[in-house]
C-alpha cells in the first residue's frame, strides 16, 4: 500500500512504514513536525501528521539524498549538470521571509554538505543556486554544481553547456535509473 509515496508493509505484528528519508509522521509532539517514523501496531500516532504533498512533484520518497532536521536534499529530475539537486524546506511556506531562525541556522550546514559531496564525487568547482518559486510556490532551492570539464559517469557524458555563464533551466530529463544511481553515489 502507498501513503504519499511511502511503502507500507502490514504483518500480523507490525506496520512498517518505509519513508526512505521523509518525516511524514512525527513520533511525538516534541519532535514534530520534523521526525521520521516506523510505526508499530498499537503505538500512539502524533496528531502532527505532516502533509508534505506540496513537495510530491520532486519525489522525495525515492529521490532523497540526505535529510536534515529542517531540510531535505533530493536529486533534481532534470540534471542540467551532474549532481543537480532540489533543497526543500520541510515545512510549507510560500516566502523566504517566513523561514524560521532555526531553519535558517541549519541551511549553511546543508549547503556545506551538498557542496562537499559534489566536489568530492564529481569535481564541481562552483555552484549556482536559484529560488524561483514560480511554478512551485513553496520554499526550495535548485542547486547546480558547475564544471569546466566534461564528466563521464553512469554511462553518460555530462557537459556543463553554459560554463562559465549562469546555468539555465533547460529541459534535460534523465531516466529514473540514472537518477537513482546519482542519488546512491552521492549517499556513499
Amino acid at each position: 500500500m502507498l501513503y504519499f509515496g511511502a511503502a507500507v508493509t502490514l504483518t500480523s505484528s507490525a506496520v512498517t512504514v518505509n519513508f526512505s528519508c521523509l518525516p511524514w509522521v512525527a513520533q511525538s509532539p516534541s519532535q514534530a513536525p520534523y521526525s521520521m517514523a516506523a510505526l508499530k501496531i498499537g503505538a500512539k500516532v502524533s496528531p502532527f501528521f505532516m502533509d508534505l504533498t506540496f513537495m510530491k512533484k520532486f519525489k522525495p520518497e525515492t529521490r532523497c539524498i540526505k535529510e536534515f532536521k529542517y531540510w531535505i536534499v533530493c536529486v533534481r529530475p532534470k540534471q542540467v549538470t551532474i549532481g543537480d539537486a532540489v533543497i526543500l524546506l520541510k515545512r510549507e511556506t510560500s516566502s523566504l521571509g517566513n523561514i524560521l531562525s532555526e531553519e535558517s541556522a541549519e541551511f549553511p550546514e546543508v549547503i556545506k554538505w551538498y557542496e562537499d559531496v559534489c566536489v568530492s564525487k564529481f569535481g564541481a568547482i562552483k555552484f549556482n543556486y536559484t529560488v524561483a518559486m514560480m511554478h512551485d510556490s513553496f520554499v526550495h532551492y535548485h542547486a547546480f554544481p558547475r564544471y569546466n570539464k566534461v564528466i563521464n559517469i553512469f554511462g553518460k557524458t555530462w557537459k556543463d553547456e553554459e560554463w562559465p555563464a549562469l546555468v539555465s533551466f533547460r529541459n534535460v530529463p534523465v531516466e529514473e535509473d540514472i537518477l537513482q544511481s546519482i542519488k546512491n553515489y552521492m549517499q556513499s
Side-chain angles (χ1 to χ4, degrees), residues 141-152:
Y141 293 76
H142 292 267
F144 303 92
R146 303 304 306 277
Y147 308 93
N148 65 353
K149 63 182 179 190
V150 171
I151 297 170
N152 293 297

Side-chain angles (χ1 to χ4, degrees), residues 9 30 81 85 134 161:
T9 306
S30 65
T81 63
M134 298 301 289
E161 298 288 341

